[in-house]
Amino acid sequence: MSTTTAALEPVFTFLSYSYASLESSFFKIPGSHVVARYVRSSHQNDPGRTVLEIMLFIFAVRTLLQSRTRADHSGKHFIKFEEKEIDDLVDEWTPEPLAVDLSPKEKADLVSVPVIVGATGPKPKLTTGKTVLNLASYNFTGLAGNETINQKAIEVLKKYGLGSCGPPGFYGTQDVHIQLEKDIADFLGTEASIIYSQAFSTISSVIPAFSKRGDVIVADRGVNFAIQKGLQVSRSNIRWYDHNDLHSLEQVLESVEKERRKKGLPLTRRFIVTEGIFDCDGVMSDLPKLVELKLKYKYRLVLDESISFGSVGRTGRGLTELYNVPASQVDMLIGSVATGLAATGGFCAGSDIVVNHQRINGTSFVYSAAMPGLMAVAASEGINILRNTPSILSTLQENVRSIRAILDKVDCIHIPSHAASATIHLQIRLPSPALLAPNMIPPSPALSSSGRHSNPLSVIPRDPPQYDYDLEERLLQDIVEEALTQGVMLTRAKTLRGQELADVRPSIRIAVTSALSRKDCEKAAGVVKAAFVKIVGKRR
Amino acid sequence: MPSPNARGFSSPIAINPSSPTASLFSRKKSSTAMSTAASYLSAVSQADARARKLTDTDSTTSTPALSLSSSVTSSSGETVLDESPLDNRDGLTYPKVPPTSEQVFGTVHTEFGHCGNEDHRFTAGFKPGDQWKPVIEQEPPHYILLSTYVSYLLLIVIGHLRDFIGKRLRPSEYKHLMKQDGYMALNSDFDSFYTRRLKLRIDDCFAYPTTGVPGRTILLIDRSSPDYNRTYVPVGTRTRALNISSYNYLGFAQGTGGCADAVEEGIHRYGVATCGARLEGASLDLHTQAEALIARFIGMEDALVSSMGFATNSTIIPALVSKGCLVISDELNHASIRFGVRLSGANVRMFKHNDMGALEQLLREVISQGQPKTHRPWKKILVIVEGLYSMEGTLVNLPAIVELKKKYKFYLFVDEAHSIGALGPNGRGVCDYFNMDPRSIDILMGTFTKSFGAAGGYISANKNIIDRLRTSGHSGAYAEAMSPPVLIQVMASMASIMGISIQQHDKAAAQSQQVIAYPGPTPSTALPPWMPLVPTMIDGSDGKMRLRRLAFNARYLNRALRRLGFITFSHDDSPVVPLLVFNPGKMAVFSRLMRTRATPIVVVVVAYPATPLITSRVRFCLSAAHTKEDVDTLLQACDEVGDLLDLKQGTGERWPLQEIMSRAVEIVNELP
Ligand SMILES: Cc1ncc(COP(=O)(O)O)c(C=O)c1O
């Protein structure tokens, strides 16, 4: 230390010189004498400290003075106007309406949303008076309406009231929240977990908590809307790989590393962001391969298991259980308490470091009230039930199989979803050449390695599938309504066309539940099949 | 810096002998006698069941001083409700003055305080002709500012010093902050400096685990830290504390009473889950009913609920504005608003907090300049403000903004997260407070986590806007729908505030429904027919009592604190009361001293980055559940601690505490 100080001595002398010249004006500020005395005495002890302190002080002052509301008058695009001219401009300006009225189609869509009377479940009653078989709601494990859970919830209600009335940092953390976090971590086998009060708002806070401007994220082209929003907020450098194509992923990882070496860029944080079972089409990630790649290229893996948690694996732990990969291999494992455990909220499981970082930096964790205590207990109880009743998941898988057995064979249905996925996406397969069933199968490795890759900077793949969005959407909606008249509640996978980064091919999204008997499942699948044949078959 | 003295550096800690981190003694004790967090927690649920049968007189509430000296064997933890009947050492469990035989209180005193004194009521709000008066921001003396800067400087210097030495002496502790085996640190030492070196010192004031109802009092799960706030272990005791922290403005955080009964019945009928998004098969009749009731409550055409208050902003704003639009946002707007604006892709400009002159200046500039570079006119301009600012306690100058709106043709979005329910003679928020037509504002947003003791949020506006948001907002397609117990709590508490006019389900009644004007009672037909209704809910007396008690408490505390000489920024009628402490060190001591009093009080302390660097503060959130005696208790504590910490820096007339307490009613009713 002392040698460097000695070497820098001239610099310090110069600095204290200029400091002295500022002194006279400085002493006009009230209280300045105290500061001056302090600085002077410390300067005698250690000149290096003076510089450090002055720098810190300037930094502090700058932070303080840097007004967030400062106007930008200096820009070269600023035009100076007279007050009168401004008044005229204000008078002239007519804003667009705040909201565009719904189109007739949007109106019809909104009206057609079925409304359940009373509790939801495998056979809910609708406002039309009809009792239907429910293939629309996410109730994979049939926990909705579970009597034990309801009883527990009522007990908690009496002890805790309903709301937590505060964010987790300010007395909103209750023992039941800590318990649920621990239960989830134990269930998955991670060090810790953190719960957010809404599933959708979980990953869009998790990603920007870690990945900042300048960091690199390699993401699947098919990631769900919440992830897209997280990527957007993070402002990181995003690279895309073809949907569920790990060859494409490897190429992108390779190219990112090459680019970094070539430009001599410093090491940044790097993440692979993808889903376990995709929300858009039900395909499943090859987790072991993903883990292999992330270890090889030294990325961190952010895995959204919102659909797979609670629907695959022997007891519903999701992909890690299915593939027998330790959950600790996934750096940030995000899941939905709302769909997986039939309560509300979402979670992120990972190491202590990952979790604790979010307690301060997860925006929607820090700035939002903790979830109601009874919901946390309902979720804990859900985990308990899943742990102790593996038959729930085996029933679910049987139901998936019996529905697939019927629908896989239908000509006019294309199912991209994985055979074990409890969400089954039904797309329309039209035979006419112009609208030929698109190439939804990922391009074969041979093809992509021949040098004709998609551009990693664009979310649009090289050969986007061709289809008639409006036509398919209309047909699918007709099918949904046809099935409803036959007593089966279906739903199209609703997406926000225009707000999504790329169009998602329209589909009907079936969510299989273990709460329906095999016979009911077959019956429902039969109705779906008939509806498809009736509506699409007409066009053949 | 391994030495235990490192923490002792800031002298405040020494003042507080029972601070869990203060002594080696407690450290040793906790690591040996204590069970792990894990086993403790798993024991809690069993203990709950066991303790309900227990008639044991062992006290579960105790002051931390006791909890340190007493053995830690009771770590199984008894339940919230089972306190020994005679234990009232903390003065919180039973009213100081026993009720007379005429008074019947239907609430649990620890949840919702018993107060039969009709003088301790007030109704606040603008009458026609009232003028807006800004809160005068008092400046602290220079030495306070200076010492605040010096404190931060010292903290920063020492922090860097400790990092410098620590990295050399104990590199393993810094490993996760450094690049290692080809991975960049998740959180570099620079990024986390503030958290590690400043916040960690006072981390015992944050994220305190609690249990039970966050009502008038709250049960803290006592904890101690063996490693300077890096981790905590429960010590096995609980402390009941006066709760001036929860957003429980109207006191609806209750485990008993009309709302809880309604929710219980609702869980029997609906369960707890909705299983998906509104547009994907998770719409319940309850959603429709709740939204109609909310629209009626707010006085707008239609409303839309969302299962998280934060998400209400972050997922709805992008559906309102997009590229080519401008958002003008108050500089102190909540994180959820900023998040939503960032997602929307719209341009953002900020104006100085509540400064209408600055807002008008900015409006003139942006309308005349148009979009950056191209100078094309903006598609639309959306001004986003909050009704009641949660860190400042300031009210938006709504009359002035609405005037500006007429001239500058912008759209107005008011976030009423804290003001809905808490303000206005009828509890309908800032519009009600200012006696204005809610429909003069385009979008009114609010949350249910605060006044209603529930969760989630709403947006209310014209029908065409709401329909657009149902279709294009992110929540409808992707986010889980609001769950039944929450919806029922919202409806029951709202009906309780509104009062209910009993009506029959027939044609004639349908006609007369139209007649009930805002802000009148709700027709009973707007509620689920099975909902149990308590008489005090029907005649609206329960809601009125809550509103009037809150208004009294708010005005009393605000005015009393100023008379005691404290600096606060809040509006007289604001239930959120920040008390400025400036020095970061004082903030932590304040919190610790309050928590360890004979009658423990929990308060929220906030500092940079949630507030500007120098204005560290303590924030009180009042509730209708507090009695005047509770506010007195708080005032007494503030008075003592304020003297100790030299916090009474305000100018203006000062009264002694005794006089303030005895002339409370007069103070509240005094004209401003
Ligand atoms: C102004 C404002 N908006 C929105 C929110 C978010 O509400 P919630 O806690 O219900 O998510 C808050 C909560 O602190 C708030 O203060």
Side-chain angles (χ1 to χ4, degrees):
Chain A
M1 257 296 264
S2 63
T3 52
T4 40
T5 318
L8 289 174
E9 193 69 44
V11 184
F12 296 140
T13 330
F14 170 73
L15 278 174
S16 46
Y17 232 78
S18 35
Y19 167 77
S21 66
L22 281 173
E23 214 174 0
S24 56
S25 50
F26 172 75
F27 279 125
K28 296 203 180 83
I29 308 168
S32 53
H33 287 276
V34 188
V35 182
R37 207 176 327 121
Y38 170 77
V39 174
R40 212 177 292 134
S41 60
S42 84
H43 181 71
Q44 273 164 3
N45 301 340
D46 177 6
R49 204 168 118 196
T50 317
V51 176
L52 183 66
E53 282 174 1
I54 289 176
M55 262 157 47
L56 286 169
F57 185 71
I58 292 171
F59 177 73
V61 169
R62 210 192 61 145
T63 319
L64 280 172
L65 295 184
Q66 210 173 34
S67 166
R68 286 183 290 174
T69 60
R70 150 197 63 180
D72 176 28
H73 288 293
S74 51
K76 61 174 187 284
H77 293 286
F78 192 82
I79 308 173
K80 218 156 165 47
F81 289 109
E82 299 295 319
E83 288 298 301
K84 176 75 182 59
E85 288 174 311
I86 296 183
D87 283 335
D88 289 347
L89 284 165
V90 167
D91 281 343
E92 270 167 36
W93 180 62
T94 29
E96 289 178 5
L98 185 51
V100 186
D101 287 348
L102 296 187
S103 67
K105 186 188 143 288
E106 287 173 317
K107 253 191 205 135
D109 267 359
L110 200 55
V111 172
S112 71
V113 172
V115 178
I116 296 170
V117 178
T120 186
K123 295 180 183 176
K125 196 171 140 215
L126 302 185
T127 36
T128 52
K130 208 173 182 135
T131 300
V132 291
L133 294 175
N134 189 352
L135 292 188
S137 307
Y138 287 118
N139 185 22
F140 301 129
T141 45
L143 291 174
N146 183 298
E147 263 314 307
T148 327
I149 293 183
N150 290 355
Q151 271 316 319
K152 273 266 154 92
I154 290 172
E155 276 170 37
V156 179
L157 171 74
K158 290 181 177 167
K159 268 191 236 153
Y160 292 77
L162 193 105
S164 61
C165 287
F170 297 150
Y171 308 98
T173 306
Q174 296 172 328
D175 47 0
V176 288
H177 297 117
I178 302 174
Q179 181 67 50
L180 174 58
E181 288 177 348
K182 191 180 160 300
D183 285 344
I184 291 174
D186 284 353
F187 189 53
L188 291 172
T190 58
E191 277 179 18
S193 84
I194 174 170
I195 48 174
Y196 287 74
S197 43
Q198 189 187 55
F200 177 74
S201 295
T202 306
I203 196 159
S204 54
S205 275
V206 174
I207 294 175
F210 295 103
S211 188
K212 312 275 181 208
R213 214 188 275 274
D215 295 338
V216 175
I217 297 179
V218 178
D220 187 289
R221 284 199 163 83
V223 292
N224 64 39
F225 194 73
I227 296 182
Q228 294 172 20
K229 292 294 131 185
L231 299 180
Q232 186 189 342
V233 171
S234 77
R235 295 169 168 160
S236 308
N237 300 329
I238 317 285
R239 297 288 182 276
W240 300 98
Y241 68 91
D242 283 338
H243 181 39
N244 204 30
D245 178 354
L246 296 191
H247 269 279
S248 167
L249 169 62
E250 183 153 16
Q251 281 162 359
V252 175
L253 296 179
E254 195 67 59
S255 73
V256 170
E257 184 57 20
K258 229 184 255 160
E259 187 187 325
R260 188 176 81 83
R261 288 236 183 81
K262 204 170 80 192
K263 294 192 183 159
L265 298 174
L267 187 64
T268 58
R269 284 175 283 254
R270 298 179 298 191
F271 302 88
I272 297 172
V273 178
T274 184
E275 288 177 66
I277 289 181
F278 282 85
D279 192 25
C280 68
D281 56 8
V283 304
M284 192 188 288
S285 290
D286 180 353
L287 186 60
K289 178 82 182 150
L290 265 176
V291 169
E292 186 194 316
L293 286 178
K294 81 127 198 164
L295 290 175
K296 178 169 167 200
Y297 289 91
K298 302 203 185 291
Y299 275 61
R300 292 183 171 92
L301 178 60
V302 183
L303 186 69
D304 186 346
E305 291 226 54
S306 292
I307 305 286
S308 46
F309 175 76
S311 74
V312 294
R314 195 182 66 88
T315 52
R317 290 169 167 92
L319 245 56
T320 48
E321 189 177 26
L322 187 72
Y323 284 114
N324 212 359
V325 172
S328 52
Q329 297 276 21
V330 180
D331 298 84
M332 290 126 209
L333 194 159
I334 288 96
S336 165
V337 179
T339 47
L341 301 169
T344 56
F347 67 82
C348 173
S351 65
D352 280 327
I353 289 173
V354 162
V355 165
N356 286 336
H357 182 73
Q358 290 174 61
R359 294 195 194 281
I360 304 155
N361 296 289
T363 319
S364 71
F365 177 82
V366 174
Y367 294 101
S368 180
M371 73 162 76
L374 67 86
M375 287 302 186
V377 171
S380 286
E381 189 56 30
I383 290 182
N384 234 343
I385 295 174
L386 290 188
R387 261 183 206 278
N388 300 328
T389 336
S391 65
I392 293 180
L393 264 291
S394 52
T395 312
L396 176 64
Q397 285 301 324
E398 268 164 39
N399 286 350
V400 171
R401 275 194 294 277
S402 54
I403 291 179
R404 288 293 291 254
I406 293 170
L407 297 181
D408 275 343
K409 292 196 296 257
V410 184
D411 278 346
C412 53
I413 302 180
H414 172 73
I415 303 182
S417 311
H418 188 276
S421 165
T423 58
I424 306 174
H425 286 255
L426 312 177
Q427 295 172 343
I428 287 179
R429 193 203 301 268
L430 284 174
S432 76
L435 302 166
L436 202 61
N439 172 19
M440 286 305 288
I441 309 139
S444 70
L447 195 69
S448 24
S449 58
S450 68
R452 303 166 62 211
H453 327 303
S454 311
N455 174 10
L457 288 171
S458 161
V459 70
I460 311 292
R462 189 173 47 85
D463 305 312
Q466 299 298 312
Y467 56 87
D468 182 339
Y469 192 102
D470 295 312
L471 173 69
E472 293 197 354
E473 190 179 67
R474 203 176 65 237
L475 291 176
L476 289 170
Q477 186 58 35
D478 288 348
I479 293 166
V480 167
E481 270 150 44
E482 170 65 22
L484 193 61
T485 61
Q486 303 301 323
V488 176
M489 182 160 94
L490 294 178
T491 179
R492 279 190 295 119
K494 297 282 168 79
T495 59
L496 297 177
R497 195 183 183 195
Q499 296 188 59
E500 298 263 2
L501 286 174
D503 277 356
V504 180
R505 183 153 194 210
S507 64
I508 283 175
R509 196 251 314 126
I510 289 178
V512 185
T513 170
S514 67
L516 282 176
S517 69
R518 182 172 183 155
K519 227 171 93 219
D520 281 332
C521 286
E522 281 167 355
K523 186 173 145 210
V527 168
V528 175
K529 175 180 168 180
F532 259 90
V533 169
K534 181 173 168 197
I535 306 286
V536 185
K538 258 198 320 220
R539 307 185 53 88
R540 293 186 154 234
Chain B
M1 246 194 218
S3 116
N5 301 340
R7 278 203 58 83
F9 152 73
S10 61
S11 60
I13 293 160
I15 298 178
N16 175 14
S18 52
S19 155
T21 56
S23 72
L24 274 170
F25 164 71
S26 68
R27 188 173 152 210
K28 224 175 248 150
K29 187 154 198 140
S30 55
S31 53
T32 53
M34 196 135 7
S35 47
T36 64
S39 64
Y40 168 73
L41 280 166
S42 61
V44 167
S45 60
Q46 299 159 17
D48 273 359
R50 210 176 331 116
R52 246 173 288 124
K53 295 183 209 115
L54 229 72
T55 47
D56 191 21
T57 50
D58 212 335
S59 149
T60 56
T61 56
S62 57
T63 60
L66 281 171
S67 68
L68 275 178
S69 52
S70 67
S71 88
V72 210
T73 45
S74 62
S75 73
S76 55
E78 288 82 346
T79 96
V80 181
L81 296 177
D82 290 278
E83 290 172 64
S84 81
L86 293 174
D87 178 23
N88 196 25
R89 261 168 300 172
D90 52 19
L92 290 171
T93 312
Y94 297 98
K96 291 198 180 102
V97 190
T100 63
S101 55
E102 297 102 74
Q103 292 172 326
V104 181
F105 294 107
T107 60
V108 179
H109 187 58
T110 51
E111 284 175 15
F112 195 96
H114 296 167
C115 166
N117 189 341
E118 281 301 319
D119 285 339
H120 297 165
R121 307 281 190 273
F122 189 69
T123 304
F126 265 43
K127 320 249 169 341
D130 278 0
Q131 285 299 313
W132 164 266
K133 275 185 228 67
V135 184
I136 300 146
E137 280 200 15
Q138 296 193 23
E139 289 287 330
H142 290 302
Y143 79 89
I144 296 277
L145 289 182
L146 202 69
S147 58
T148 305
Y149 286 126
V150 172
S151 305
Y152 274 108
L153 206 68
L154 274 174
L155 284 167
I156 291 171
V157 169
I158 289 181
H160 280 299
L161 221 63
R162 289 179 65 184
D163 272 2
F164 181 83
I165 298 168
K167 274 181 205 162
R168 277 151 190 83
L169 294 187
R170 286 194 289 181
S172 64
E173 280 183 19
Y174 289 81
K175 224 169 78 194
H176 68 284
L177 301 172
M178 302 290 174
K179 207 186 309 193
Q180 54 174 319
D181 14 294
Y183 286 93
M184 192 64 200
L186 262 188
N187 190 9
S188 72
D189 55 341
F190 181 77
D191 291 345
S192 62
F193 180 81
Y194 183 84
T195 319
R196 285 181 301 114
R197 291 302 176 205
L198 276 73
K199 181 171 178 288
L200 190 69
R201 286 172 171 276
I202 57 169
D203 234 14
D204 57 315
C205 304
F206 300 106
Y208 219 99
T210 68
T211 181
V213 174
R216 172 181 158 265
T217 66
I218 196 164
L219 263 185
L220 300 177
I221 299 179
D222 298 325
R223 62 180 182 182
S224 82
S225 175
D227 49 8
Y228 308 113
N229 295 350
R230 254 171 234 125
T231 56
Y232 295 96
V233 275
V235 298
T237 54
R238 295 156 186 227
T239 305
R240 186 171 290 288
L242 185 61
N243 178 12
I244 320 276
S245 297
S246 294
Y247 302 136
N248 176 31
Y249 301 124
L250 290 180
F252 280 114
Q254 287 176 294
T256 54
C259 293
D261 292 345
V263 176
E264 180 177 352
E265 178 63 28
I267 293 177
H268 284 305
R269 285 166 185 268
Y270 283 86
V272 296
T274 50
C275 302
R278 284 292 290 283
L279 298 180
E280 289 192 343
S283 283
L284 303 181
D285 54 344
L286 276 182
H287 290 115
T288 322
Q289 289 163 355
E291 287 175 350
L293 183 65
I294 292 159
R296 195 185 281 273
F297 181 83
I298 310 291
M300 292 291 230
E301 262 180 38
D302 203 352
L304 167 64
V305 294
S306 153
S307 52
M308 182 192 198
F310 184 98
T312 316
N313 280 329
S314 69
T315 66
I316 291 296
I317 294 174
L320 291 170
V321 286
S322 55
K323 227 171 145 82
C325 304
L326 178 71
V327 172
I328 297 185
S329 170
D330 189 290
E331 61 174 336
L332 295 182
N333 273 351
H334 191 251
S336 56
I337 299 176
R338 288 190 227 152
F339 201 93
V341 173
R342 203 149 136 195
L343 287 183
S344 73
N347 284 51
V348 207
R349 295 293 294 272
M350 294 205 243
F351 67 98
K352 185 159 177 292
H353 174 54
N354 232 351
D355 183 338
M356 291 304 118
L359 174 60
E360 179 160 16
Q361 219 38 63
L362 182 60
L363 281 165
R364 292 177 72 80
E365 183 200 317
V366 294
I367 295 178
S368 61
Q369 295 293 326
Q371 298 187 30
K373 299 205 177 90
T374 62
H375 294 287
R376 232 176 278 157
W378 295 104
K379 287 190 193 156
K380 51 196 167 191
I381 296 179
L382 181 66
V383 174
I384 307 186
V385 292
E386 287 182 32
L388 173 63
Y389 287 83
S390 60
M391 288 294 166
E392 314 292 307
T394 46
L395 285 187
V396 64
N397 186 349
L398 200 59
I401 292 199
V402 170
E403 274 312 306
L404 287 179
K405 176 172 154 58
K406 284 180 196 144
K407 180 164 177 204
Y408 294 98
K409 296 176 280 195
F410 57 80
Y411 298 107
L412 183 56
F413 180 117
V414 181
D415 180 336
E416 291 219 73
H418 291 265
S419 53
I420 193 68
L423 283 178
N426 307 290
R428 313 292 169 93
V430 272
C431 297
D432 188 23
Y433 182 88
F434 287 114
N435 201 2
M436 289 166 65
D437 181 3
R439 300 199 185 189
S440 57
I441 290 149
D442 300 285
I443 307 238
L444 285 170
M445 174 270 172
T447 64
F448 301 123
T449 30
K450 281 103 198 179
S451 296
F452 303 95
Y458 67 84
I459 290 267
S460 65
N462 283 347
K463 179 141 181 33
N464 68 327
I465 297 179
I466 294 297
D467 277 346
R468 169 53 63 202
L469 298 178
R470 285 182 211 283
T471 309
S472 305
H474 307 166
S475 299
Y478 300 112
E480 73 244 29
M482 198 185 251
S483 66
V486 177
L487 286 163
I488 295 160
Q489 169 82 12
V490 169
M491 280 198 270
S493 53
M494 211 167 250
S496 182
I497 303 170
M498 297 168 87
I500 302 162
S501 78
I502 302 291
Q503 296 192 348
Q504 302 308 317
H505 282 269
D506 61 26
K507 275 244 173 65
Q511 293 287 312
S512 66
Q513 270 192 34
Q514 310 292 320
V515 185
I516 300 170
Y518 168 86
T522 171
S524 57
T525 46
L527 300 171
W530 49 262
M531 193 185 259
L533 301 174
V534 185
T536 52
M537 274 163 81
I538 297 172
D539 62 16
S541 58
D542 177 62
K544 279 271 169 305
M545 177 267 291
R546 290 171 192 263
L547 290 168
R548 297 176 66 220
R549 275 177 65 172
L550 178 63
F552 176 88
N553 290 344
R555 219 172 230 221
Y556 177 37
L557 182 66
N558 272 299
R559 292 189 169 172
L561 282 178
R562 271 187 214 125
R563 294 258 149 105
L564 281 175
F566 291 102
I567 299 184
T568 76
F569 286 165
S570 48
H571 188 279
D572 262 6
D573 292 325
S574 157
V576 180
V577 186
L579 187 158
L580 279 290
V581 297
F582 302 101
N583 297 59
K586 288 181 183 174
M587 184 173 73
V589 195
F590 193 103
S591 170
R592 292 174 190 143
L593 287 179
M594 294 296 252
R595 199 173 62 227
T596 48
R597 291 175 67 81
T599 303
I601 302 175
V602 292
V603 298
V604 164
V605 290
V606 266
Y608 182 82
T611 70
L613 189 64
I614 55 160
T615 51
S616 303
R617 62 197 66 178
V618 177
R619 184 185 62 178
F620 306 123
C621 286
L622 286 165
S623 165
H626 296 132
T627 61
K628 183 203 168 251
E629 288 68 38
D630 294 332
V631 183
D632 288 345
T633 308
L634 175 64
L635 284 171
Q636 182 146 19
C638 286
D639 189 50
E640 287 169 23
V641 176
D643 280 334
L644 198 64
L645 300 182
D646 188 24
L647 295 178
K648 297 180 176 173
Q649 304 294 352
T651 48
E653 193 188 350
R654 292 210 190 163
W655 290 13
L657 180 65
Q658 281 313 320
E659 188 173 353
I660 292 175
M661 280 166 33
S662 59
R663 290 169 64 183
V665 176
E666 187 189 326
I667 289 177
V668 168
N669 287 295
E670 215 169 67
L671 287 174

